[in-house]
Amino acid sequence: MMAMMKSVSSINLSQDFSALGGSCQTIGTLSSISFTHASLRVSRCSASVLSVTMEEEKEQAFDAGKAALLVKELRKSFNSGKTKSYEWRAAQLQSISKMIDEREKEIVQALQLDLSKPELEAFVSEISMTKSSCQKALKDLKHWMAPEKVNTSVTTYPSSAEIVSEPFGVVLIISAWNYPFLLSLDPVIGAIAAGNAIVLKPSEIAPATSSLLARLLSEYVDRSIISVVEGAVPETSALLDQKWDKIFYTGSTRVGYIVMAAAAKHLTPVVLELGGKCPAIVDSNVDLKVAARRMLAGKWVCNNGQACIAIDYIVTTKSFAPKLVDALQLALEEFFGKNPLESQDMSRIVNLYHFKRLAKLLDEDGTSDKIVLGGQRDENNLRIAPTILLDVPEDSLIMREEIFGPLLPILTVDDIEDSFHIINSKPKPLASYLFSDNDGLQKQFVQNISAGGMLINDTVLHLTVPTLPFGGVGESGMGAYHGKFSFDAFSHKKGVLYRSFKGDATARYPPYTPEKQRLLKALLSGNIIGIILALLGWSKE
């Protein structure tokens, strides 16, 4: 009360109190009442206003009840059957393609606000790739939707069979903040192509892109089938409480466990696009200038290392490490200048939490003295210079946790083949890279390293090939998408066998006479001679 009285003494009670969030605006003057009464009056009004505001926020909050209602409405729309037609799916994909063309500037601006992402990088890695996914789906959709004819066996003769792709139903897509436009719409495109009803939950850590997606999708696509829910942990938790027909999650392994546990309650299938520590092995027999540029493209040009497939650490030989560090330094100066903190061609760290997380990795005892290049920081602008560390302890934080930032440790070994043991001692990564012209080493790498995907003599480009599946293995995720794999990720493959009423074999029905048994055994074993003998009534005995 005393605090309220103190605040009232310095304001004109006739001012607008809308800043409190309510409708109480003009209180009156102090001319005919005592100061104490005026304070009580303001206090009551303020309390009333705040109470109304809290009630409004409570009503507007997206809780489990509203999530359940949303799913119910989407399921009703899905059950109408309109998503099953080619025409509906193609129309939604065309609308998304049109949206990308017409709103490109707004998309670039949102990515700039969220991540200071350079315009060209935003276009290449988010806008162009999303548009390509859309165009690929439109081009091949009829082929993807067509039933796939398959062979049948002699036991079902005469018959025919096919695999029919049908939508799962109502699906939830939870996207990530590091590529907030691409990682939201790429799976949405696959879900639309497969004919599902969709709820998209963009990341709250990229609020400008999240808000833009909510606004644009409500304008361009069918809102009765495709919905966007914005928010943070409470909204995501409310969504995960519901029964979905499939959940597609992109993000950290830690949250992946939570998503999978929530899905398990309803036996809901999941696709988990996670991450991990993606290694790059660098052999000595490489074009070092080209290799260094490509490594930079897979680290600092990749959203400043904030990418699930960015190089997390390098393994090379002790003798080659100094040459590699020199080549990386030259390439970094070429790309970002002598003061990379001022470069406009590199994204910033997404927020203060992640800035401090990365600083903690650098400042750990036993790690901070391993910096051979970079390490400069600008907390106010959320920037950390490209940083290379040499031979950090393998039990250090930077080697135990996914870095997801502009820090690059280099580990050294005596023989390049020893790098396989280091990689295999860690959880399976989303991507693994090898730089070598040695055919034998390339074959060993493919055969002995398990990873979601691999690329030899380059980085990250494998995810641009729509005929390759993109996804993790083990702790780096499960399931895959891109191209037709996106369609398949959101489709149930329904096996259908067709038979007529002709050719009904009495041998399958009781009573099971010796003759029937001989015929059935011959049929099931594929013994042609035995079938002929059984039909003729002869026995091999």
Side-chain angles (χ1 to χ4, degrees), residues 412-434:
T412 61
V413 291
D414 293 323
D415 297 309
I416 199 66
E417 288 83 2
D418 295 339
S419 58
F420 293 173
H421 172 71
I422 293 175
I423 295 170
N424 287 331
S425 69
K426 302 180 185 301
K428 297 176 181 180
L430 184 58
S432 288
Y433 305 108
L434 169 68

Side-chain angles (χ1 to χ4, degrees), residues 278-296:
C278 299
I281 299 173
V282 183
D283 198 6
S284 58
N285 63 343
V286 296
D287 184 325
L288 191 50
K289 182 177 181 180
V290 173
R293 293 164 67 93
R294 292 179 178 178
M295 281 181 255
L296 263 66

Side-chain angles (χ1 to χ4, degrees), residues 246-281:
K246 189 144 195 181
I247 298 175
F248 188 110
Y249 168 74
T250 304
S252 70
T253 301
R254 179 181 60 82
V255 178
Y257 282 109
I258 297 170
V259 172
M260 194 167 183
K265 294 178 182 178
H266 303 288
L267 294 179
T268 298
V270 297
V271 173
L272 301 178
E273 294 292 337
L274 308 177
K277 297 187 72 64
C278 299
I281 299 173

Side-chain angles (χ1 to χ4, degrees), residues 312-426:
D312 191 274
Y313 65 98
I314 287 175
V315 186
T316 191
T317 59
K318 287 181 172 65
S319 59
F320 192 65
K323 294 180 181 178
L324 177 58
V325 172
D326 289 343
L328 291 171
Q329 181 175 4
L330 286 173
L332 281 167
E333 288 186 10
E334 178 188 350
F335 284 15
F336 306 116
K338 291 189 178 295
N339 188 356
L341 291 179
E342 296 179 357
S343 175
Q344 299 301 307
D345 295 319
M346 187 162 48
S347 301
R348 63 166 168 78
I349 308 305
V350 66
N351 58 26
L352 185 59
Y353 167 80
H354 283 282
F355 182 95
K356 291 185 174 181
R357 176 186 62 81
L358 290 164
K360 181 181 178 182
L361 298 182
L362 273 183
D363 292 340
E364 184 186 17
D365 289 342
T367 298
S368 57
D369 60 346
K370 301 296 184 180
I371 297 173
V372 295
L373 180 68
Q376 301 87 352
R377 310 170 204 176
D378 179 356
E379 183 173 321
N380 290 333
N381 292 304
L382 298 177
R383 292 186 177 274
I384 299 176
T387 302
I388 298 174
L389 306 95
L390 188 60
D391 280 329
V392 298
E394 285 197 48
D395 62 350
S396 60
L397 278 175
I398 202 169
M399 287 308 300
R400 296 202 313 269
E401 298 181 6
E402 183 179 9
I403 295 171
F404 225 70
L407 319 180
L408 182 60
I410 297 177
L411 306 182
T412 61
V413 291
D414 293 323
D415 297 309
I416 199 66
E417 288 83 2
D418 295 339
S419 58
F420 293 173
H421 172 71
I422 293 175
I423 295 170
N424 287 331
S425 69
K426 302 180 185 301

Side-chain angles (χ1 to χ4, degrees), residues 170-219:
V170 183
V171 302
L172 172 64
I173 296 172
I174 306 173
S175 67
W177 56 261
N178 55 329
Y179 288 86
F181 189 77
L182 172 69
L183 297 182
S184 293
L185 287 186
D186 208 354
V188 164
I189 288 166
I192 290 172
N196 295 275
I198 303 158
V199 171
L200 169 64
K201 168 59 183 67
S203 174
E204 71 279 7
I205 299 177
T209 307
S210 174
S211 177
L212 182 67
L213 284 167
R215 179 164 56 85
L216 294 187
L217 287 176
S218 67
E219 180 180 339

